[in-house]
Amino acid sequence: MHYQYKYVPLRTGGGFWIDNSSHEHCAIIDRHAADGWRYAGFIPTRFSGEGGMKEIDLIFEKPVEE
């Protein structure tokens, strides 16, 4: 089975502490799940000068029909 992947950027705030109180990541994951995508993880893509994650890519996958 082969998979198709989708990467969705998400700004995290960039400081040492990340504020997820808006739950934006939950809405993104729920929206993609409703479209048949499965959340597969995340990759940090930008960092602050203190080493905090400024941006991440949420990774989604779904099977490709052959």
Side-chain angles (χ1 to χ4, degrees):
M1 179 177 292
H2 294 91
Y3 289 89
Q4 174 182 359
Y5 290 90
K6 183 175 186 179
Y7 306 90
V8 178
L10 177 66
R11 184 174 300 274
T12 60
F16 184 75
W17 300 104
I18 296 173
D19 180 8
N20 286 325
S21 61
S22 70
H23 300 284
E24 182 181 359
H25 61 289
C26 295
I28 293 169
I29 292 169
D30 289 345
R31 188 169 53 247
H32 283 79
D35 289 336
W37 293 91
R38 185 178 78 95
Y39 173 70
F42 74 94
I43 298 173
T45 55
R46 293 189 63 208
F47 295 90
S48 69
E50 297 83 31
M53 291 182 279
K54 289 180 80 169
E55 290 183 14
I56 62 172
D57 278 353
L58 298 176
I59 306 166
F60 297 90
E61 66 180 6
K62 72 175 164 180
V64 175
E65 294 188 28
E66 298 182 34

